[in-house]
Structure formats: structure tokens, C-alpha cells
Amino acid sequence: MPDMSASASLAMTHLVSFAKEVDEDKVTPGVLGFIVFAAMALAVWALMKSMSRHMNRVDFTQVPDPKAEQSEQTPADANADGAEAEPSGQGAKKQG
């Protein structure tokens, strides 16, 4: 490496000495791991904010459906004459 400047060789000397101090058996995520984690954290924050905004727009009051009320009253009106409905094919025998 003959064409290195003095400052570059000095920087390399410091990096080499720093690399010797780092434990070679230790694995760290590094800068790329931090960037990925930070991006995921920002995405989760944005999704939570969006979900909160959408949940605030929801109207939770339920209006009863008039068609459902009519269908519930119809079977009760059919049996109002006092006759019980026979089960369809459930062992009903005719006596003659």
C-alpha cells in the first residue's frame, strides 16, 4: 500500500488496533441491524396511529333491524292458536 496518505495510514492503524480489541467470538447486529429495527419500529408506530384514527371513526351504536324483528314475530303468531307444531319426520306416528 505505497500510495496511502499519512492520515489514511493513521486511520488504518487505529482501526486495526480497535479490531484487535473487539472480541471475535461476540456477534453484534451492527448498524444495519439498528437501521432495520428502527424502520420496523417506525412502521409499527405508523400502523398503530392509523388504526387508532380508523377506530375513532367507527360508530358503535347498533340500530335494530326491522326485518329481523318481523321474522322473530312471525313464528310466534303461527302458533298463537294453541296447536303445537309437529316435528317433521322426527318419530311422529299417526294413530288411526
Side-chain angles (χ1 to χ4, degrees):
M1 294 186 214
D3 25 322
M4 290 180 105
S5 67
S7 61
S9 65
L10 183 62
M12 288 298 289
T13 306
H14 287 298
L15 287 175
V16 170
S17 65
F18 177 70
K20 289 180 182 177
E21 293 175 11
V22 174
D23 187 14
E24 294 177 3
D25 295 330
K26 186 177 179 182
V27 178
T28 61
V31 177
L32 181 63
F34 174 75
I35 292 170
V36 169
F37 181 78
M40 289 175 62
L42 285 173
V44 168
W45 176 78
L47 286 171
M48 292 294 289
K49 188 172 181 178
S50 173
M51 184 186 68
S52 176
R53 189 179 311 129
H54 281 81
M55 291 299 286
N56 286 336
R57 291 182 186 170
V58 174
D59 183 22
F60 287 106
T61 57
Q62 184 175 1
V63 178
D65 188 17
K67 292 180 183 177
E69 291 177 2
Q70 290 175 358
S71 65
E72 289 176 3
Q73 292 174 357
T74 304
D77 292 340
N79 290 336
D81 59 358
E84 291 185 25
E86 292 184 16
S88 59
Q90 301 266 339
K93 294 183 180 178
K94 292 185 179 180
Q95 296 178 351

